[in-house]
Amino acid sequence: MNFNDKFSEYREFINKSIDNLFAEYDDDTVCKDILEAAKYAVNNGGKRIRPILCIVAAEALGIKKDNVLNFALAIELIHSYSLVHDDLPAMDNDDFRRGKLATHKKFGEAMGILAGDALLNLAAETVLTSIDNESKEAAAFIFKCSGMKGMIAGQVYDLQSEKCPEFSENFLYKISRNKTSALLTAPLVVPAMLSGEYVSEFKSLGEKIGILFQITDDIFDETGEFTVIGKTPHKDGNKVTAISVFGLDGAKEKARELYSECKKILSVIPNSEFLSQIVDYVYTRKN
Ligand code: GRG
């Protein structure tokens, strides 16, 4: 099976699992209005790269996908909430996401905030229903990655960088490691923690994939079109990005270097062919 078909198959599996999760949640006691906004925020066309990474990393380590599914879903719910909040007027103030109206534009600002909060709560609930003593640490790691030592910290550095920019490689990577790498590291490290193998390799791989992912995202802002990237281009303005720090050619060169470093790490991880193809995809993706 070629890469695109295989990736689509995993993506379909994630989409169905998310549908099941919401279906189970939808009983007489749920507030239908917030459920609708939360579903819209998750189901509007994401690539699902984080949960796919989690399942593929698990399979590489001999763990069945059902044993990491709730962790993978929780990470995607957290990712989706972060995009909803990022699009709010107080943050990046974007009207579009994944080619469609941003959640707060469709449902109003208050519902956007609440839909994000609801998704974070659902992530916690989803993880907590599937942990035992052995997986407790892996579960906590997800929320460490999305919290004040990870994604939220990165968002704060990113917002601060607009007011007081420091155009250095160090600061750029500090933002990317937290804002982007943290939530791409969680799906790789959770299976490694569950298996007790390759934890440091997957940590390092997640960090590098995250920076690579952010550099490609910065390149899209510079060169992409709305119809392809699904959000408004040229929004980075005065921000500290790979483009403002390295220039377009420099950013492409850094992406190449990070891609090779990812490949080097993958060379010591067993059964990593599909993971390696996902890294190819991150490097060559168009949106
Ligand atoms: C609001 C706490 C909080 C955090 C926001 C996610 C984020 C942090 C900001 C969004 C802007 C941004 C450039 C984030 C870096 C990560 C990134 C490139 C996200 C987009 O991820 P994709 O491409 O999205 O995987 P899809 O739509 O495919 O799910």
Side-chain angles (χ1 to χ4, degrees):
M1 197 187 291
N2 71 32
F3 173 76
N4 287 340
D5 291 343
K6 197 165 172 187
F7 193 86
S8 299
E9 206 174 83
Y10 278 75
R11 191 166 175 257
E12 270 319 296
F13 173 70
I14 296 297
N15 286 342
K16 269 211 187 87
S17 306
I18 289 173
D19 287 346
N20 292 342
L21 191 67
F22 280 123
E24 275 174 37
Y25 213 76
D26 188 3
D27 63 21
D28 291 347
T29 61
V30 77
C31 167
K32 303 278 179 200
D33 292 337
I34 193 65
L35 181 67
E36 190 196 350
K39 275 162 107 170
Y40 177 83
V42 182
N43 286 330
N44 58 357
K47 294 182 285 297
R48 311 300 194 206
I49 189 151
R50 293 160 190 78
I52 292 176
L53 277 174
C54 189
I55 288 176
V56 175
E59 288 175 340
L61 297 173
I63 300 173
K64 288 200 173 66
K65 64 174 187 268
D66 285 345
N67 292 340
V68 290
L69 181 58
N70 280 356
F71 295 93
L73 297 180
I75 292 167
E76 186 65 8
L77 294 171
I78 294 170
H79 165 64
S80 301
Y81 115 71
S82 80
L83 298 182
V84 175
H85 281 190
D86 184 63
D87 290 335
L88 289 167
M91 301 231 192
D92 217 30
N93 192 17
D94 210 316
D95 292 354
F96 295 98
R97 171 67 62 182
R98 297 162 169 168
K100 303 197 176 80
L101 281 179
T103 305
H104 73 278
K105 276 287 167 190
K106 182 143 173 102
F107 295 91
E109 206 177 318
M111 287 300 266
I113 295 169
L114 291 168
D117 294 343
L119 291 172
L120 180 57
N121 277 279
L122 185 58
E125 208 177 323
T126 304
V127 164
L128 286 168
T129 55
S130 52
I131 53 167
D132 52 23
N133 264 345
E134 270 100 79
S135 51
K136 208 162 65 182
E137 229 181 297
F141 186 73
I142 294 177
F143 294 94
K144 184 174 173 186
C145 288
S146 65
M148 291 187 283
K149 293 185 175 184
M151 185 181 72
I152 290 180
Q155 181 75 347
V156 173
Y157 300 140
D158 188 64
L159 291 168
Q160 288 170 342
S161 85
E162 279 185 82
K163 292 207 175 85
C164 190
E166 180 195 316
F167 295 102
S168 69
E169 184 167 346
N170 260 351
F171 189 53
L172 173 72
Y173 286 168
K174 182 174 161 181
I175 300 173
S176 306
R177 262 200 304 272
N178 287 284
K179 187 176 83 166
T180 315
S181 294
L183 212 58
L184 281 155
T185 301
L188 295 168
V189 170
V190 161
M193 286 173 90
L194 294 178
S195 78
E197 288 183 301
Y198 299 101
V199 174
S200 65
E201 286 83 357
F202 275 118
K203 266 191 184 152
S204 174
L205 181 64
E207 179 172 319
K208 287 181 195 300
I209 291 181
I211 300 175
L212 173 62
F213 200 90
Q214 187 58 58
I215 293 179
T216 52
D217 211 65
D218 292 347
I219 294 174
F220 298 155
D221 182 78
E222 178 73 6
T223 63
E225 287 167 26
F226 178 84
T227 48
V228 181
I229 64 175
K231 57 184 182 174
T232 320
H234 310 298
K235 281 208 79 226
D236 284 345
N238 197 36
K239 277 191 176 179
V240 178
T241 69
I243 306 297
S244 60
V245 171
F246 302 124
L248 182 57
D249 289 342
K252 288 181 179 167
E253 182 50 37
K254 288 288 172 190
R256 244 189 313 275
E257 283 170 23
L258 282 155
Y259 171 73
S260 311
E261 289 167 20
C262 289
K263 289 288 181 163
K264 204 165 156 203
I265 300 169
L266 281 163
S267 69
V268 302
I269 296 173
N271 314 308
S272 58
E273 299 75 20
F274 191 35
L275 271 177
S276 182
Q277 289 175 336
I278 296 178
V279 171
D280 296 346
Y281 165 70
V282 170
Y283 179 52
T284 58
R285 73 201 177 101
K286 300 281 176 272
N287 63 23

